Amino acid sequence: MNVYVLMIIMAFFWFMLLYYSVLTIAGVYRRLKQLDDSPLEHYPSVAVLVPCYNEGLVIKQTLEALSQLKYPGELNIYILDDQSTDNTRQIARAFQVRFSNIHYLYVPEMEIKGKSSVLNYGLQSTTSDYFCVFDGDNQPEPESVFRLVHAAERTKKAGGAVGYVKTINAEANILTRMIALEFQVFQLLMQSGRYQLFKVGALAGTNMLLRRDVIEEAGGYDPKALAEDAELTVRVASLGYLLPVVHHARTWEQEPEQLKTLIRQRTRWLTGNLYLLEKSLYTFKFWKGRTFVHSMQHILTYFVFILFLAFSNVWFVLGLIGYPLPSVNTPLLLLWFLSYVVYSAQIASAMVLEESLSPKNVGVGVIMYFTYAQLFLIMLFKS
């Protein structure tokens, strides 16, 4: 029986290796495509929502970047202050005085605290055809909103568009280098691959655009969702809307420089994704049409992958201590080696596309499978 279980696990493993290999190729293909940036006949109005809580250290740089956004239509920026106790309010109000399109909004006490409730308040307090979200520590490039709107307006049945998040402090230490490479692979390359193959895009928590009538049809943000971007993505997809991936609409974000901070952040994200996984198991519409890809992705990532990763580690430890393992004809070492090759090939492809290929990054990419990838197991169990 142990042999049969092992064979089933290996069959799934081969499937996942093939799936992610195809995604990588499709992602590279889409990433090399030139997207249409020719002018539109009409530019819809956009409200940029910036949820903030104690962002005094970074909000000045964020507002300076936002003030440089280039957009031919009506563009208003709203700082949504979730009762900060530092100098966020003073800095935001100083920019409100300097720029007529920057507005400071103090968010009152909400029944359920969190980013989702803050964004719902911002949506109720503004009017526009589209809204765009940037986190309080983001520095979007001037053309980011412009390019997101182009993609949304030129894509049939689009509910919005999603851009690319880059790491502004990638050079700080080895941890931030790994985070930057992770974003390049899994946010840019995998996102682009899924959209190329299935016309499926996933909203990020920042640098994302949605039509106001779409969010209203979806019922707003779910206040209970910690991973509000992933949860809203599934609901928008279940309504039949597309979310094109716009790789050249970029924002720069400060990432954790300490392992403790990263684990705390990612544990919160994973907890939110587990909530979405639970929600998808009893919501039939989350398995219809293109939404199936999102729900299956969650199953593969937060259930199947974790089982494989745990099984691989247990098998390795049992082998080290000399435990008698079942004998099979399949070359297990070759299977593990191929998984490492696929993982490393994704990282290398992303570095080439982003022109970030360097001896330091190559060295970091070589060890990520044994270090950074294993953190996922710790954080998921913690979640």
Side-chain angles (χ1 to χ4, degrees):
M1 181 61 69
N2 289 338
V3 174
Y4 291 119
V5 172
L6 181 61
M7 296 299 289
I8 292 172
I9 290 175
M10 287 192 297
F12 275 108
F13 203 83
W14 278 113
F15 167 76
M16 291 188 70
L17 281 176
L18 179 62
Y19 172 67
Y20 283 110
S21 298
V22 172
L23 271 188
T24 301
I25 295 170
V28 170
Y29 175 77
R30 178 167 177 81
R31 179 65 174 76
L32 294 174
K33 290 175 67 175
Q34 294 294 322
L35 302 183
D36 189 359
D37 269 338
S38 58
L40 299 171
E41 292 184 4
H42 168 71
Y43 282 88
S45 58
V46 178
V48 175
L49 307 181
V50 187
C52 293
Y53 176 72
N54 288 348
E55 302 286 1
L57 292 176
V58 293
I59 193 65
K60 184 175 184 291
Q61 293 89 337
T62 296
L63 289 171
E64 285 174 346
L66 290 170
S67 68
Q68 300 300 313
L69 288 174
K70 298 177 182 178
Y71 187 70
E74 180 184 344
L75 179 75
N76 284 287
I77 300 162
Y78 297 89
I79 310 304
L80 307 176
D81 182 6
D82 189 17
Q83 304 174 47
S84 297
T85 56
D86 63 357
N87 60 342
T88 297
R89 178 187 303 188
Q90 291 80 1
I91 297 172
R93 283 184 168 173
F95 273 84
Q96 181 178 238
V97 172
R98 288 175 55 195
F99 298 94
S100 61
N101 69 329
I102 295 181
H103 315 278
Y104 172 82
L105 293 179
Y106 183 80
V107 181
E109 185 75 29
M110 311 295 285
E111 183 178 352
I112 301 177
K113 291 186 68 66
K115 185 177 177 180
S116 294
S117 295
V118 171
L119 288 170
N120 280 335
Y121 180 81
L123 288 168
Q124 295 166 9
S125 306
T126 61
T127 58
S128 59
D129 300 316
Y130 284 91
F131 75 95
C132 186
V133 178
F134 288 104
D135 285 338
D137 60 350
N138 271 217
Q139 296 181 38
E141 295 182 359
E143 299 83 6
S144 56
V145 174
F146 178 81
R147 288 169 171 169
L148 289 173
V149 172
H150 276 191
E153 287 289 289
R154 288 196 166 102
T155 303
K156 187 177 180 181
K157 197 60 176 175
V162 56
Y164 174 33
V165 182
K166 300 198 70 173
T167 304
I168 198 169
N169 58 330
E171 303 291 327
N173 56 40
I174 190 171
L175 179 62
T176 56
R177 282 183 183 274
M178 288 183 175
I179 296 172
L181 289 173
E182 177 203 12
F183 274 32
Q184 288 178 21
V185 173
F186 297 104
Q187 189 186 78
L188 178 64
L189 204 57
M190 296 295 100
Q191 269 265 57
S192 296
R194 282 194 294 270
Y195 191 79
Q196 182 64 36
L197 292 176
F198 311 114
K199 289 294 181 287
V200 165
L203 295 170
T206 186
N207 198 18
M208 50 152 283
L209 179 85
L210 267 184
R211 279 178 20 213
R212 185 173 293 270
D213 60 342
V214 170
I215 188 72
E216 290 173 353
E217 184 181 352
Y221 281 93
D222 180 351
K224 296 180 181 179
L226 293 177
E228 81 293 333
D229 48 353
E231 195 278 337
L232 183 58
T233 292
V234 175
R235 282 191 288 130
V236 168
S238 71
L239 295 173
Y241 295 104
L242 299 181
L243 294 168
V245 178
V246 191
H247 57 260
H248 65 326
R250 295 180 289 259
T251 190
W252 295 80
E253 183 175 84
Q254 185 88 8
E255 300 301 337
E257 297 183 6
Q258 296 181 350
L259 186 58
K260 183 179 178 180
T261 307
L262 175 72
I263 291 177
R264 185 168 61 247
Q265 179 198 68
R266 298 303 174 87
T267 299
R268 186 175 70 252
W269 291 1
L270 289 171
T271 302
N273 277 284
L274 289 177
Y275 166 76
L276 174 57
L277 176 60
E278 178 188 358
K279 194 173 182 179
S280 69
L281 293 177
Y282 59 79
T283 308
F284 177 71
K285 66 179 180 179
F286 285 3
W287 295 90
K288 295 171 62 178
R290 291 189 181 90
T291 318
F292 176 85
V293 178
H294 289 295
S295 296
M296 183 54 66
Q297 181 72 24
H298 271 79
I299 292 289
L300 289 175
T301 303
Y302 301 104
F303 182 70
V304 177
F305 174 74
I306 194 66
L307 286 179
F308 286 168
L309 191 57
F311 174 82
S312 173
N313 290 341
V314 169
W315 191 274
F316 178 72
V317 171
L318 290 177
L320 282 181
I321 64 176
Y323 184 84
L325 298 170
S327 177
V328 293
N329 294 325
T330 303
L332 295 178
L333 185 60
L334 176 62
L335 189 66
W336 174 87
F337 179 72
L338 286 175
S339 66
Y340 175 73
V341 168
V342 171
Y343 185 88
S344 301
Q346 291 172 343
I347 294 175
S349 300
M351 284 192 287
V352 171
L353 291 172
E354 285 297 295
E355 299 180 352
S356 59
L357 197 62
S358 69
K360 284 186 178 180
N361 282 343
V362 170
V364 169
V366 167
I367 65 172
M368 277 185 68
Y369 184 86
F370 308 100
T371 54
Y372 190 82
Q374 300 301 319
L375 285 175
F376 184 86
L377 189 63
I378 299 172
M379 292 184 287
L380 194 55
F381 276 121
K382 186 174 170 56
S383 301

